[in-house]
Amino acid sequence: MYIAAIIALLVGALMILVRAILGPSAYDRILAMNAMGTKTVVLVALFGFASGRPEFLDLAIIYALVSFITTVAILKYIEKGRLD
Amino acid sequence: MEWNEILTAIFLALGVLISLTGSLGLLRMPDFYTRLHTAGKSDSLAQTFILGGLIFVTDNWQVAVRLLMIILLLFFTAPTATHAITKAARLDGLEPWRRG
Amino acid sequence: MRYLIFVVLLAGFFGLLSGQFHNGFLMVVGALCIALIALISARMALVDEESYPDLGTWVRMSLYVPYLFWQIVLSNWDVFKRVWDPALPVSPQLVRAPFSTRTAFGTVTFANSITLTPGTVTIEVLEGEFLIHALTTEAADGVKDGSMEAQVKRLEGAIK
């Protein structure tokens, strides 16, 4: 059950990756990366349940926070050209 | 299968279907603004279904609390991130696509 | 008072995540971290009344969330139909919709709710109106009928 869900999510991740490679604008790529971040959180949580180690959820929480901050930081860099 | 596993399977299937829809939309839509619609909307519901579905199969309250925490976190950050991207693109002067 | 709630919330968050109340070292480190975070937040003036709404707002919020969730489900169904349709039936357009919410909280909620309803995304908040990207003509008309604005205004309630 978990494995099937993980495989289906990976197929979705592949589609997102194609969009990130195709672009065409930087914003399309960031949007794809952001969607990928949400997917990764779900994947990590599912993987934890599939392997019977729910401690993976801690990693998922950290990843959710980091991916949000990454998106905002990259956007700020594109908009202002610096991060301070 | 127990009843709670069946419930989880249903939620996982729904979430995965929505998630795949979002990914396919991201691939098929003609321009950035239309891609926003599929990416931003499907993400928040898909993660709610998948992570919410997992709550039924755990008997550990700490795991359940963590799942709820991730759901809330993504529920608030995902639309914020989407809006930040939109605003940056708009300020950059990205023009919306029109049919015809 | 606000800082007391803040510290209790932080302590609760730490306790929930670690759960190892028997480990003295972890608890001491946790208390130190909470003190540090409270100090930094005070220096940055992060803890204001916007972060701690009164009870009435919480009650109205819990009434608003089911409505919002139902809108999200409808919205996903709409996207679902369009994405899997081979013809890709979209005719995107920009529309401007006026709003009359009085508080920053209400305006933000309204803008985010428009983003989550079928076929529309708020791009920018201008003076007294939103710039909205609509996926279809029907969606563009749907924004202007004002049923959602009424809901948000009820949420806003008596906030000054």
Side-chain angles (χ1 to χ4, degrees):
Chain A
M1 176 170 74
Y2 301 123
I3 303 297
I6 287 175
I7 290 172
L9 279 177
L10 282 176
V11 171
L14 204 66
M15 293 184 200
I16 293 175
L17 207 59
V18 170
R19 171 50 65 200
I21 293 169
L22 288 179
S25 72
Y27 301 106
D28 290 296
R29 296 198 167 99
I30 299 173
L31 191 67
M33 199 198 70
N34 188 41
M36 188 74 106
T38 315
K39 254 193 190 50
T40 310
V41 174
V42 176
L43 271 175
V44 169
L46 272 175
F47 184 77
F49 272 81
S51 56
R53 293 169 64 195
E55 305 89 52
F56 269 75
L57 286 179
D58 290 338
L59 301 182
I61 292 181
I62 303 292
Y63 197 88
L65 287 167
V66 170
S67 99
F68 175 63
I69 293 171
T70 313
T71 305
V72 174
I74 292 177
L75 284 172
K76 194 174 173 190
Y77 184 71
I78 289 180
E79 249 182 272
K80 304 216 167 108
R82 56 195 165 81
L83 281 174
D84 56 350
Chain B
M1 275 214 283
E2 299 285 314
W3 66 270
N4 60 345
E5 286 187 2
I6 294 171
L7 210 56
T8 304
I10 293 171
F11 270 85
L12 283 187
L14 268 176
V16 163
L17 201 61
I18 295 165
S19 177
L20 273 177
T21 308
S23 306
L24 187 68
L26 205 63
L27 203 57
R28 283 194 73 196
M29 287 293 180
D31 83 327
F32 171 75
Y33 292 101
T34 43
R35 275 171 212 144
L36 271 178
H37 288 274
T38 56
K41 283 168 196 177
S42 52
D43 260 11
S44 50
L45 196 65
Q47 61 94 358
T48 311
F49 272 137
I50 294 179
L51 297 175
L54 288 178
I55 291 180
F56 296 113
V57 283
T58 180
D59 45 7
N60 185 343
W61 66 270
Q62 283 192 351
V63 172
V65 164
R66 262 161 234 204
L67 281 171
L68 274 178
M69 220 178 260
I70 301 177
I71 290 176
L72 278 179
L73 202 69
L74 287 179
F75 209 81
F76 284 110
T77 56
T80 314
T82 310
H83 179 72
I85 299 170
T86 322
K87 202 181 152 220
R90 177 78 193 159
L91 287 175
D92 203 28
L94 207 64
E95 284 300 317
W97 174 88
R98 281 181 156 278
R99 181 167 293 249
Chain C
M1 185 57 205
R2 257 185 245 136
Y3 279 91
L4 195 67
I5 301 174
F6 184 60
V7 167
V8 169
L9 279 177
L10 282 177
F13 185 68
F14 183 82
L16 278 178
L17 280 189
S18 98
Q20 305 192 14
F21 298 103
H22 52 84
N23 190 328
F25 172 71
L26 272 184
M27 286 300 116
V28 171
V29 173
L32 281 177
C33 285
I34 289 168
L36 192 67
I37 291 170
L39 209 70
I40 294 173
S41 309
R43 256 181 70 87
M44 290 173 74
L46 285 178
V47 186
D48 50 16
E49 66 274 5
E50 200 178 286
S51 335
Y52 296 100
D54 56 41
L55 193 68
T57 310
W58 284 113
V59 172
R60 285 192 295 272
M61 192 77 128
S62 54
L63 291 176
Y64 183 72
V65 165
Y67 166 78
L68 189 62
F69 192 79
W70 178 236
Q71 291 291 331
I72 296 173
V73 172
L74 284 181
S75 158
N76 272 280
W77 174 235
D78 186 64
V79 165
F80 184 86
K81 274 188 306 189
R82 285 173 205 289
V83 167
W84 293 96
D85 189 327
L88 204 63
V90 294
S91 52
Q93 51 194 284
L94 286 180
V95 287
R96 282 161 195 276
F99 68 90
S100 57
T101 46
R102 287 163 293 128
T103 58
F105 174 69
T107 309
V108 169
T109 312
F110 191 20
N112 271 333
S113 305
I114 287 178
T115 299
L116 291 170
T117 46
T120 49
V121 167
T122 312
I123 295 178
E124 218 176 341
V125 180
L126 305 165
E127 203 70 42
E129 57 180 8
F130 292 130
L131 187 63
I132 292 165
H133 185 271
L135 209 52
T136 57
T137 315
E138 305 92 73
D141 297 335
V143 173
K144 293 172 182 160
D145 78 346
S147 65
M148 175 169 277
E149 188 168 18
Q151 290 276 353
V152 177
K153 280 191 159 172
R154 196 191 304 161
L155 167 73
E156 245 184 345
I159 308 170
K160 294 293 172 304

